[in-house]
């Protein structure tokens, strides 16, 4: 960025010198074209700076060799890895945005507390990252439930911050919070469904352990006779 900044100022300086030579008439300088040129250059500079900042914010983080090897070991192709990383990067940003939005309103915080929405979203995000090949199982969460909840909460905050509210506005706010509550519940359900197999495996392990304990107890009772 520093390099491009100095390049821009160098071009502006050369342009200014050129304009001075061009518009120097009758031992006087017409300043308007020169000022117009400089102002335009400054606007271009800050426009490029702003675009660069937005681009950097959404750029994918560097892929470590360890993580790349994990993806390869999971049987993922280069295109699958790229799609997965882009999707998860977008999902992470959406979760962070949703958390910030929910903290702006007491009603939204109540929804979050009722359903552990942010906690469930972050937990599901970690589960998907740990099992990238299972990403299709979370399609509803990734492409429908989470994006819709982000949009709904954004709109809720926008309406709720109106200085003057009519009866219709209050009705819309109440309707919105009900829909948001339902969407939040869906995200919690998405997490529960994703880890359901783990819970089933735990049930099996508990059942086996109980049988083992019972057999051990029966054996001790038999030995005591």
């Amino acid at each position: 960025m520093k390099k491009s900044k100095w390049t821009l100022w160098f071009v502006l300086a050369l342009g200014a010198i050129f304009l001075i030579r061009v518009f120097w008439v009758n031992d006087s300088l017409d300043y308007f074209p020169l000022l117009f040129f400089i102002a335009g250059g400054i606007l271009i500079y800050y426009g490029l700076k702003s675009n660069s900042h937005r681009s950097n914010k959404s750029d994918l983080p560097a892929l470590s060799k360890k993580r790349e090897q994990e993806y390869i070991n999971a049987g993922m192709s280069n295109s699958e890895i790229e799609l997965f990383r882009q999707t998860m990067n977008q999902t992470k940003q959406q979760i962070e945005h949703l958390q910030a939005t929910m903290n702006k309103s007491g009603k939204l915080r109540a929804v979050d507390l009722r359903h552990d929405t942010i906690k469930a979203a972050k937990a599901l995000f970690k589960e998907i990252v740990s099992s990238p090949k299972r990403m299709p199982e979370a399609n509803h969460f990734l492409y429908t439930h989470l994006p819709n909840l982000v949009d709904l909460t954004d709109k809720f905050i926008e309406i709720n911050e109106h200085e003057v509210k009519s009866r219709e506005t209050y009705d819309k706010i109440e309707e919105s919070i009900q829909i948001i509550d339902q969407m939040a519940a869906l995200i919690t359900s998405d997490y529960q469904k994703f880890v359901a197999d783990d819970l089933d495996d735990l049930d099996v392990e508990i059942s086996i352990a109980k049988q083992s304990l019972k057999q051990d107890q029966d054996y001790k009772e038999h030995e005591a006779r």
Side-chain angles (χ1 to χ4, degrees):
M1 187 63 194
K2 288 184 177 179
K3 191 173 182 180
S4 62
K5 180 179 75 173
W6 286 112
T7 302
L8 178 61
W9 285 117
F10 179 72
V11 171
L12 284 174
L14 288 179
I17 293 171
F18 174 76
L19 285 176
I20 288 173
R21 293 178 63 87
V22 170
F23 292 100
W24 190 280
V25 181
N26 297 328
D27 295 327
S28 64
L29 177 63
D30 185 356
Y31 285 100
F32 180 76
L34 179 60
L35 292 175
F36 183 79
F37 175 80
I38 294 174
I42 292 173
L43 288 174
I44 292 172
Y45 165 68
Y46 282 106
L48 291 173
K49 184 178 180 181
S50 176
N51 288 336
S52 174
H53 177 72
R54 286 195 297 268
S55 176
N56 290 335
K57 188 174 181 180
S58 61
D59 281 347
L60 287 174
L63 178 61
S64 67
K65 291 293 183 182
K66 180 181 178 182
R67 181 67 71 180
E68 182 180 18
Q69 191 58 49
E70 289 175 355
Y71 293 150
I72 293 173
N73 292 342
M76 299 174 69
S77 65
N78 290 336
S79 59
E80 287 175 330
I81 293 173
E82 182 68 18
L83 174 62
F84 177 77
R85 296 187 69 234
Q86 289 178 354
T87 301
M88 298 315 294
N89 185 56
Q90 181 180 5
T91 300
K92 181 181 179 182
Q93 291 179 17
Q94 289 174 337
I95 293 173
E96 291 174 350
H97 180 85
L98 179 63
Q99 183 174 19
T101 303
M102 284 189 146
N103 285 331
K104 293 179 181 179
S105 164
K107 289 186 176 181
L108 292 181
R109 285 195 297 272
V111 170
D112 184 29
L113 288 172
R114 186 156 49 249
H115 299 289
D116 281 331
T117 312
I118 300 300
K119 194 174 182 179
K122 289 182 176 181
L124 181 49
F125 176 88
K126 290 180 181 179
E127 290 290 336
I128 300 169
V129 169
S130 299
S131 307
K133 292 293 283 186
R134 293 184 63 195
M135 187 176 76
E137 297 176 35
N139 279 347
H140 289 305
F141 166 72
L142 295 171
Y143 302 116
T144 304
H145 298 161
L146 179 61
N148 284 350
L149 186 56
V150 169
D151 291 340
L152 283 168
T153 51
D154 281 348
K155 195 63 180 177
F156 173 85
I157 291 296
E158 180 183 339
I159 296 174
N160 196 47
E161 290 180 348
H162 286 180
E163 292 292 335
V164 179
K165 299 182 180 70
S166 64
R167 181 68 257 173
E168 183 182 4
T169 304
Y170 283 111
D171 290 342
K172 285 294 181 184
I173 288 174
E174 289 305 315
E175 181 183 3
S176 296
I177 206 69
Q178 291 175 17
I179 301 299
I180 287 170
D181 189 86
Q182 293 173 26
M183 291 300 299
L186 285 177
I187 286 182
T188 304
S189 177
D190 288 335
Y191 169 71
Q192 292 171 344
K193 288 177 181 177
F194 196 87
V195 299
D197 288 344
D198 294 339
L199 296 178
D200 290 341
D201 291 342
L202 181 59
D203 286 339
V204 171
E205 293 296 330
I206 291 174
S207 177
I208 293 173
K210 285 181 177 179
Q211 291 179 12
S212 178
L213 288 171
K214 186 177 183 304
Q215 290 174 357
D216 185 62
Q217 184 65 29
D218 291 343
Y219 175 78
K220 288 180 179 179
E221 290 177 356
H222 178 74
E223 288 289 316
R225 290 173 185 171

